[in-house]
Amino acid sequence: MKEKIAQLLAQVSDLKCKTAKEVEEARVRLLGKKGEITRLFEEFREYPSERKKEFGRALNELKQAAAAKIEELKSSIGSETESAGPKEDLSMPGTPFELGSRHPVSIVRQEVVDLFRKFGYDVAEGPEIEDDYHVFGALNFPLNHPARDMQDTFFVSTGHPNPLLLRTHTSSVQVRVMESMKLPIRVICPGRVFRNEAISARAHCIFHQVEGLYIDEHVTFADLKQAILLFAREMFGPDAAIRMRPSFFPFTEPSSEVDVNCNICKGKGCNVCKGTGWLEILGCGMVDPNVLEASGIDSKKYSGFAFGMGLERIAMLKWQVNDLRHYFENDLRFLSEFETSIEV
Ligand code: DAH
């Protein structure tokens, strides 16, 4: 018995295990129901009491040593497995999250909206698929006007007195506003428009416009001129000057096209302004009495002005991008030129 105890004690102190499984096997071998130490205790029980004194304490010490060793091995292996494998470096910077950037047309649209909001204008929107009446009829286009031709307009349905079509301008929204809003009216209508054009550097079948409409008593051409001048100065800087050229639109009388002085050559003449020193920015005029009456507004009491501008055109002047196609190709190299991140 004495020898056996000494032998097992040596075994316990030399015990080495690599895995949790090996520790468990060692525990069963020594301390399990049929384990070597358990068996020694069984033998010990058979001993006469005078011999028990001889081995009792040594046997207990062996059991305690074995149990302690097993615990020690368990915890050291446990902590090794936890720390095994690649460690997380909590000081590493996070994975960057690409937010993208706003499209140049969206940036200009927002600028125009913010600017007119400051002047007290509301924002109104209308449908992109419109009917002939709102795009042409109510705006005083004669029945045989070329804009009503398939060559210029994308029709959605034909063979109907009021066919559906993709709106060719946002002036259609001014009709909807006049039909539904209380007077006085002060709105801008940003939106997407469609024309059956061959795509080139200067023309596209999809583009964006902002329509403006102001109707009240005693509105005059002087108010129109002042509104456009204020817009040009806010958009192109305090030195911006405007020039109004007589023009024609069916829905305004008189009508005008507006140029702003070329901010690239400062009016001296360059290839962007084709040597003239001026760049066209919008069309405008006093709302034709026929248009007011078509929407049920008394043209003897009320008058108003309207204007319409192309957002791609304004963006081209702002950033000197002279090919319209860039705005629709979604090339990230182009888009990332304008803003590095969006505001969230
Ligand atoms: N609707 C015109 C266009 O698409 C732009 C325009 C010109 C709008 C004169 C107006 C205006 O309201 O008065 O070319």
Side-chain angles (χ1 to χ4, degrees):
M1 170 73 70
K2 202 175 170 182
E3 256 171 48
K4 187 77 186 164
I5 292 174
Q7 203 187 334
L8 282 174
L9 204 55
Q11 240 184 58
V12 165
S13 74
D14 288 347
L15 192 62
K16 285 195 180 67
C17 297
K18 287 201 190 81
T19 62
K21 197 172 163 230
E22 281 178 24
V23 178
E24 180 57 11
E25 280 165 6
R27 188 193 67 79
V28 171
R29 181 157 42 80
L30 296 167
L31 298 165
K33 269 190 187 161
K34 291 180 183 155
E36 294 190 62
I37 297 175
T38 317
R39 252 189 274 135
L40 277 187
F41 269 93
E42 277 161 15
E43 246 177 69
F44 174 76
R45 236 173 271 138
E46 309 296 317
Y47 276 24
S49 48
E50 63 276 13
R51 292 199 64 196
K52 274 187 181 152
K53 275 187 205 145
E54 216 180 305
F55 306 117
R57 168 182 271 192
L59 201 52
N60 270 328
E61 277 169 6
L62 169 66
K63 190 179 173 183
Q64 275 161 19
K69 183 78 180 186
I70 298 287
E71 277 314 306
E72 183 195 315
L73 287 171
K74 254 192 206 166
S75 57
S76 70
I77 284 173
S79 62
E80 266 169 32
T81 36
E82 261 170 37
S83 61
K87 286 186 191 153
E88 288 286 339
D89 179 355
L90 298 179
S91 66
M92 290 268 285
T95 317
F97 180 73
E98 298 227 6
L99 273 180
S101 58
R102 279 193 304 163
H103 192 280
V105 172
S106 303
I107 297 173
V108 170
R109 172 188 159 132
Q110 193 60 47
E111 266 181 48
V112 174
V113 165
D114 289 347
L115 206 152
F116 277 101
R117 276 229 172 95
K118 259 197 327 206
F119 301 161
Y121 285 67
D122 288 327
V123 176
E125 290 192 44
E128 291 181 349
I129 299 177
E130 256 297 6
D131 53 29
D132 182 285
Y133 175 76
H134 287 90
V135 176
F136 301 125
L139 287 166
N140 205 30
F141 279 78
L143 267 177
N144 57 356
H145 194 284
R148 285 184 146 138
D149 196 287
M150 302 278 273
Q151 297 291 314
D152 292 308
T153 301
F154 291 113
F155 282 87
V156 175
S157 67
T158 49
H160 187 273
N162 186 23
L164 288 180
L165 44 90
L166 298 185
R167 67 180 179 196
T168 56
H169 54 181
T170 44
S171 304
S172 55
V173 187
Q174 63 159 277
V175 177
R176 293 203 169 266
V177 166
M178 284 190 283
E179 286 169 345
S180 60
M181 272 174 73
K182 276 207 204 124
L183 294 161
I185 289 170
R186 222 183 288 158
V187 287
I188 51 163
C189 322
R192 198 156 55 148
V193 300
F194 309 85
R195 284 187 201 172
N196 193 0
E197 301 259 9
I199 296 171
S200 71
R202 301 181 60 88
H204 207 286
C205 55
I206 303 174
F207 54 102
H208 299 80
Q209 288 187 331
V210 174
E211 180 78 14
L213 179 68
Y214 191 137
I215 300 177
D216 202 347
E217 293 178 42
H218 316 299
V219 178
T220 68
F221 201 92
D223 299 315
L224 166 62
K225 193 176 153 196
Q226 193 60 20
I228 303 295
L229 182 62
L230 281 178
F231 163 72
R233 293 209 172 137
E234 290 277 337
M235 197 73 205
F236 300 106
D239 297 333
I242 58 165
R243 160 175 104 163
M244 299 183 98
R245 285 180 286 108
S247 184
F248 174 78
F249 301 103
F251 36 91
T252 45
E253 180 59 37
S255 303
S256 165
E257 273 169 322
V258 179
D259 299 336
V260 64
N261 55 339
C262 179
N263 58 353
I264 297 160
C265 62
K266 304 277 174 261
K268 286 194 201 83
C270 64
N271 59 351
V272 176
C273 62
K274 301 205 188 68
T276 63
W278 296 94
L279 297 156
E280 188 190 321
I281 52 165
L282 54 81
C284 63
M286 301 306 291
V287 182
D288 194 298
N290 287 346
V291 172
L292 295 173
E293 296 290 341
S295 296
I297 295 173
D298 181 356
S299 63
K300 301 239 165 27
K301 189 170 175 204
Y302 291 99
S303 56
F305 62 74
F307 56 86
M309 67 185 98
L311 287 179
E312 283 80 4
R313 171 106 194 126
I314 306 283
M316 277 175 147
L317 300 180
K318 201 171 155 69
W319 290 294
Q320 283 101 53
V321 176
N322 289 323
D323 191 327
L324 260 180
R325 290 168 291 197
H326 287 306
Y327 293 105
F328 300 95
E329 279 165 356
N330 282 335
D331 185 331
L332 289 177
R333 289 168 303 179
F334 173 74
L335 296 178
S336 60
E337 290 278 309
F338 299 91
E339 249 184 4
T340 47
S341 67
I342 56 169
E343 293 156 32
V344 266

